[in-house]
Amino acid sequence: MTSGILQEKQRQRAPSQRSLATRARIWDAAEQVFAKRGFDGASMRDIAKLAGVHVGLVTHHGGSKEDLFARIIARRADELSQSRLRALDKRRDLGPLSLTAILDCFFAPYLSKAETGGAQWLAYARLVAFVSADQRWNDLATQCFDPTAGHFIDAICALYPNTPRQTIAAGFVYSVSAMLALITSRWRVHSLGDPRPDVASHLDELVSFCAAGIDACARTPSSL
Amino acid sequence: MTSGILQEKQRQRAPSQRSLATRARIWDAAEQVFAKRGFDGASMRDIAKLAGVHVGLVTHHGGSKEDLFARIIARRADELSQSRLRALDKRRDLGPLSLTAILDCFFAPYLSKAETGGAQWLAYARLVAFVSADQRWNDLATQCFDPTAGHFIDAICALYPNTPRQTIAAGFVYSVSAMLALITSRWRVHSLGDPRPDVASHLDELVSFCAAGIDACARTPSSL
DNA sequence: CCTTATTTTGTACGGATGTACAATCTAATT
DNA sequence: AATTAGATTGTACATCCGTACAAAATAAGG
């Protein structure tokens, strides 16, 4: 009895490097296929074919189709949320936050990832659009996106002490949808050849659009 | 030979009133199911069941699944485009257009239809969200939405003679996506009981958000 | 080397899907 | 009333789907 209680369960072995590679390949393929066809339009066989593996492996590494979809969403949402919150904290250290600074902290991390990370992050944006359009993923969206969004809404609320949070939240929802529109429409236009749309060059435009919009909503007396 | 050349083709009969009713029922059912599940998630059998008819009738009245989907989109897009352009012309007669007036002419017709027309028009908004998220419907979206959008963008461009059309168009795309976000998020929240969300009460908020945003983009010198 | 857990392959099954097609029924037209 | 185009029903087929499962291959641990 050298290792004690844990012995009761089957010993677990660290996953081999090879399996980690194929797992990543499967997840990336799933991201691409889900982004292009949506949840129902995608098939496990399409994913397997794109990943260059056999069908059973997709289930083995990704679980059920729903599990796989949720996992794909969650892994990038987590990374993105951390980047966003980190950017916000960093900016806070430099002094009081402005509305444009807050929005920039929210938008910039994704856009920079899309520029450097390439196709996978661009696919993720389309995935988020699918998730937002389909009420079946309501819980998933709430769980993945709402906490971080709440922090940013709080930061904006601090700038407008007399504006109800609901008004700020509505403006923030509009802003996020505008960001998704920017990314997905760019993707659409450039998908006929240019694999790397220069989406970041429109960041300032997007930020000024949303900042002016939120500011207008927050100043309107009818929102009191 | 009493009726001449037309006799060569088979005589056509006017559709009976009954068939018109079931056709409408099928189309409405298709709209509901497509809106709830998306194109791939919806099945012809689900549509038939909701309409209370047999499967073959859906094909008979709607053609293939793709035809049916495109028809569902187009019929409301046409009606909506006409309402929007009519509202714009009417407002033009009252004097020079303001930015908020232009946006109001674009947003209000749908929101008023959603209030009076009920579930069908609300379903249509979700449909548009699906169409916008799936690049397979790119041509359909372009064909149904772009002409009217072009008119509104032109009207806004007239207010900002020194701003490139591309900048205005981007702001307009952001605005439309914000409108869809408003409608679909309201639907989502209220779908647990309240069948008639008071989406119109947020019209002013939406208009002021988008007007301020477009104005800010148009005034930014970097867009020259 | 041998054991053993994991990864990979191959197959197969029950069910759902879009749609074609023949049969039946309905109603408009002559 | 007879005719006939269209509306409705019922069925059936080929295909694809998610997934379960056993066998085989692989590699880690002792």
Side-chain angles (χ1 to χ4, degrees):
Chain A
M1 202 181 284
T2 56
S3 57
I5 304 170
L6 291 177
Q7 202 76 358
E8 290 188 14
K9 293 207 168 188
Q10 284 185 348
R11 270 170 303 168
Q12 295 198 356
R13 198 134 54 173
S16 69
Q17 218 169 12
R18 180 173 166 215
S19 80
L20 285 181
T22 64
R23 171 172 305 196
R25 208 143 32 86
I26 288 172
W27 286 8
D28 287 353
E31 193 166 43
Q32 292 286 343
V33 175
F34 279 137
K36 191 167 292 181
R37 308 289 315 269
F39 178 78
D40 293 298
S43 78
M44 302 291 267
R45 286 172 172 83
D46 290 339
I47 295 170
K49 186 180 294 182
L50 183 61
V53 300
H54 288 66
V55 207
L57 260 195
V58 178
T59 306
H60 185 256
H61 283 290
S64 74
K65 194 182 178 186
E66 291 195 7
D67 290 342
L68 180 58
F69 188 80
R71 201 193 317 272
I72 295 298
I73 296 290
R75 64 165 180 168
R76 295 215 190 265
D78 289 345
E79 178 183 345
L80 194 49
S81 288
Q82 287 175 17
S83 294
R84 282 168 167 160
L85 294 175
R86 223 181 300 127
L88 191 64
D89 281 341
K90 217 170 184 177
R91 196 71 73 95
R92 249 193 255 268
D93 296 340
L94 303 179
L97 291 167
S98 68
L99 179 55
T100 56
I102 295 171
L103 290 174
D104 193 72
C105 290
F106 190 85
F107 293 145
Y110 174 81
L111 295 174
S112 91
K113 285 178 194 299
E115 292 274 309
T116 64
Q120 290 302 138
W121 276 100
L122 286 172
Y124 174 71
R126 294 193 57 79
L127 261 184
V128 172
F130 272 116
V131 169
S132 306
D134 193 327
Q135 62 186 17
R136 263 184 300 169
W137 307 110
N138 219 324
D139 292 343
L140 179 65
T142 299
Q143 184 179 324
C144 287
F145 308 140
D146 279 16
T148 301
H151 276 97
F152 279 83
I153 292 172
D154 289 340
I156 300 175
C157 282
L159 301 178
Y160 299 97
N162 298 323
T163 304
R165 185 186 157 91
Q166 203 176 354
T167 302
I168 302 294
F172 192 77
V173 170
Y174 300 156
S175 302
V176 173
S177 77
M179 186 193 86
L180 287 176
L182 166 63
I183 298 161
T184 57
S185 72
R186 284 290 122 188
W187 165 298
R188 192 187 291 175
V189 169
H190 289 257
S191 66
L192 308 172
D194 186 356
R196 188 77 65 86
D198 61 337
V199 102
S201 69
H202 293 78
L203 174 59
D204 292 339
E205 186 184 69
L206 178 67
V207 167
S208 65
F209 178 93
C210 298
I214 291 176
D215 185 71
C217 286
R219 291 184 190 281
T220 300
S222 77
S223 62
L224 286 179
Chain B
M1 201 182 285
T2 56
S3 57
I5 304 169
L6 291 177
Q7 203 74 359
E8 289 187 15
K9 293 208 167 186
Q10 285 185 346
R11 271 169 304 169
Q12 294 198 355
R13 200 141 47 179
S16 70
Q17 218 170 13
R18 180 171 164 220
S19 79
L20 286 180
T22 64
R23 172 172 305 193
R25 208 141 34 86
I26 289 172
W27 287 7
D28 286 352
E31 193 166 44
Q32 292 286 342
V33 176
F34 279 136
K36 191 167 293 182
R37 308 290 314 268
F39 178 78
D40 293 298
S43 80
M44 302 291 267
R45 286 171 172 82
D46 290 339
I47 295 170
K49 186 179 293 182
L50 184 60
V53 301
H54 286 69
V55 206
L57 261 194
V58 179
T59 307
H60 186 257
H61 284 290
S64 75
K65 193 182 178 185
E66 290 195 6
D67 290 342
L68 180 60
F69 187 80
R71 202 193 315 273
I72 295 298
I73 297 289
R75 62 165 182 168
R76 293 211 192 268
D78 289 345
E79 180 185 342
L80 194 51
S81 289
Q82 288 176 17
S83 294
R84 282 168 167 160
L85 294 175
R86 223 181 300 128
L88 192 63
D89 282 341
K90 218 171 183 176
R91 195 72 74 98
R92 249 193 255 269
D93 295 340
L94 303 178
L97 292 167
S98 68
L99 178 53
T100 55
I102 295 172
L103 290 174
D104 193 71
C105 290
F106 189 85
F107 293 144
Y110 174 81
L111 295 175
S112 90
K113 284 178 194 301
E115 292 274 308
T116 64
Q120 290 303 137
W121 277 100
L122 286 173
Y124 174 71
R126 293 193 58 79
L127 262 184
V128 172
F130 272 116
V131 169
S132 306
D134 193 328
Q135 60 186 17
R136 266 185 299 170
W137 307 112
N138 220 323
D139 292 343
L140 180 66
T142 300
Q143 184 179 326
C144 287
F145 308 140
D146 280 15
T148 301
H151 276 97
F152 278 83
I153 292 171
D154 288 340
I156 300 175
C157 282
L159 300 178
Y160 300 96
N162 298 323
T163 305
R165 186 185 156 90
Q166 205 176 352
T167 302
I168 302 295
F172 192 76
V173 169
Y174 300 156
S175 302
V176 173
S177 77
M179 187 192 85
L180 287 176
L182 168 62
I183 298 162
T184 56
S185 72
R186 283 291 123 185
W187 167 297
R188 193 187 292 175
V189 169
H190 288 258
S191 67
L192 308 172
D194 186 355
R196 189 78 63 85
D198 61 336
V199 102
S201 69
H202 293 77
L203 174 59
D204 292 339
E205 187 184 69
L206 178 67
V207 168
S208 66
F209 178 93
C210 297
I214 292 177
D215 186 70
C217 287
R219 291 184 190 281
T220 300
S222 76
S223 62
L224 285 179

